[in-house]
Amino acid sequence: MTDTGPVYLDYAATTPLGPEVLEAMRPWLEGLAGNPASAHAVGRHAAAAVAQARARVAGALGASADEIVWTSGATEADNLAIKGAARHQHARGRGDHLVTLATEHRAVLASCEALEHEGFTVTRVPPESDGSVSAGAVAAAMTARTVLVSVSAVNNETGVTPDLAAIAERVKGHGALLHVDAAQALGRVPLDVSGLPADLVSLSAHKCYGPQGVGALYVRRRPRVRLMPLLHGGGQEGGLRPGTVPVAQVVGMGAAVARCVRNAARDGRHLEALRGRLLAGLAEIGGVILNGRRDGSPHIVNVSFPGVHGAALAGLLDGLAVSAGSACEAAVPAPSHVLRAMGRPDALAHASLRLSLGGPTTAGEVDRAVAVIGAAVGHLRGFSPVWQRLAAGETIQSVYGTRTPLVSI
Ligand SMILES: Cc1ncc(COP(=O)(O)O)c(C=O)c1O
């Protein structure tokens, strides 16, 4: 970003294509990308590139290449994992109950809802007020009929990271399958299926400097996890996801994932430093509520501004590309289901911003964002009766009529 252009702090929504990713894709976009299923030399050349990309994605997870299924993104991977596994388990008479978190991405929640229409039952575990969910709460939601538990590695709105190892232990002890939506995790928090007994893991390329429209589902082979496919066609991806594999897209995803792995330590330090700067800047505005935890993924900060009207705030943030709630739901004016589940009153949930940082983010951009937000919040509070009550010493809980503990930063 230039000094005068918009400050982009929406890396959890999507990331720019990495320069080395574009270079890796270029030959497959400019020249002939053969069909990797074709037996001739052009096809075999494409198949070799796809195999290399598959090995790179597998390597990033500690998986083997034959455990990676290409999809169009994490939405499709979530659908395939949840519906595919639940339907297969049910057909084998193993049960009809699923457990997920009330704070999951819509791709997970809507997949579960679709299964409810088929007769499955779903328990959505509510979070604590800081967005966390304990392994004990997940375990308590499981029944003898539970076939699948779906939990994301990093919440896309709050950055909260559940204790996946503890959850996995409880799920495996129960004999159910574990699906992890890791769309926000790649390159930000470590995830290794050689140590973590997850059965299914959803990934998306465009969240980690790869192209949009491609993702992958890890499907454990040892012990083998079986899925009913959602699509039927030419038998590609072992029949789990038929359709011609898009060579340029998957090569781009392979390059992006390899870059994430290579730079994980450096990127992690960069994001931690920027998050610290952002939180310190927001704290100076005063009366800002943190929606999440300080030990969450370093790329996401979600905050609410008491005494501020949400729509008015959004209107004053020209020059900032940030998200109010989840970008995937930007067309829906309802307050975020995640913040609601965390007990935020609707008025406060509306007056919330998710700021998400990336590799290209600079300290200067963070400072400019804080200045724009601080000016907007100060202006709106200037004529806010709610802010007057808070300034006069009333508590946020009494002003907003909630018992939820709300932590200022
Ligand atoms: C946690 C999570 N799951 C799933 C998705 C959907 O990913 P995609 O855009 O690749 O379909 C997103 C993107 O917003 C996400 O953050």
Side-chain angles (χ1 to χ4, degrees), residues 275-296:
R275 178 176 60 172
R277 191 177 184 99
L278 178 58
L279 284 171
L282 292 170
E284 285 200 11
I285 295 173
V288 178
I289 305 294
L290 181 63
N291 300 318
R293 293 170 57 90
R294 283 174 184 269
D295 61 1

Side-chain angles (χ1 to χ4, degrees), residues 61-283:
L61 286 181
S64 34
D66 60 359
E67 295 177 307
I68 300 299
V69 174
W70 301 115
T71 66
S72 59
T75 298
E76 186 189 335
D78 288 344
N79 273 262
L80 178 57
I82 295 168
K83 294 179 191 165
R87 287 174 183 158
H88 187 276
Q89 294 291 99
H90 185 239
R92 297 290 173 287
R94 297 198 182 122
D96 54 7
H97 177 244
L98 295 99
V99 175
T100 189
L101 309 186
T103 50
E104 288 302 318
H105 190 273
R106 285 284 180 206
V108 167
L109 293 176
S111 295
C112 291
E113 268 162 45
L115 289 171
E116 280 180 318
H117 293 302
E118 296 175 18
F120 285 84
T121 53
V122 179
T123 302
R124 299 159 183 87
V125 182
E128 303 294 329
S129 60
D130 64 358
S132 62
V133 174
S134 70
V138 173
M142 286 190 272
T143 73
R145 304 187 67 81
T146 307
V147 289
L148 180 86
V149 175
S150 179
V151 175
S152 57
V154 174
N155 183 276
N156 58 295
E157 289 194 32
T158 61
V160 168
T161 51
D163 184 348
L164 278 183
I167 290 174
E169 198 185 315
R170 308 296 281 269
V171 174
K172 294 289 102 189
H174 209 85
L177 296 173
L178 176 63
H179 166 241
V180 176
D181 179 339
Q184 294 290 343
L186 264 187
R188 290 153 186 152
V189 300
L191 191 71
D192 190 327
V193 293
S194 62
L196 177 81
D199 298 290
L200 299 151
V201 179
S202 301
L203 302 173
S204 175
H206 75 101
K207 307 287 184 185
C208 63
Y209 311 98
Q212 296 173 340
V214 62
L217 180 65
Y218 158 80
V219 184
R220 186 173 287 279
R221 282 214 160 224
R222 287 158 289 272
R224 188 164 191 154
V225 173
R226 293 189 180 273
L227 304 176
M228 277 193 191
L230 302 180
L231 304 177
H232 300 89
Q236 292 93 339
E237 302 299 289
L240 280 179
R241 208 289 191 162
T244 301
V245 173
V247 182
Q249 303 298 100
V250 304
V251 164
M253 179 161 183
V257 167
R259 181 217 157 270
C260 277
V261 172
R262 222 176 25 249
N263 298 341
R266 196 192 65 197
D267 288 355
R269 284 192 298 274
H270 177 64
L271 293 175
E272 286 287 359
L274 289 177
R275 178 176 60 172
R277 191 177 184 99
L278 178 58
L279 284 171
L282 292 170

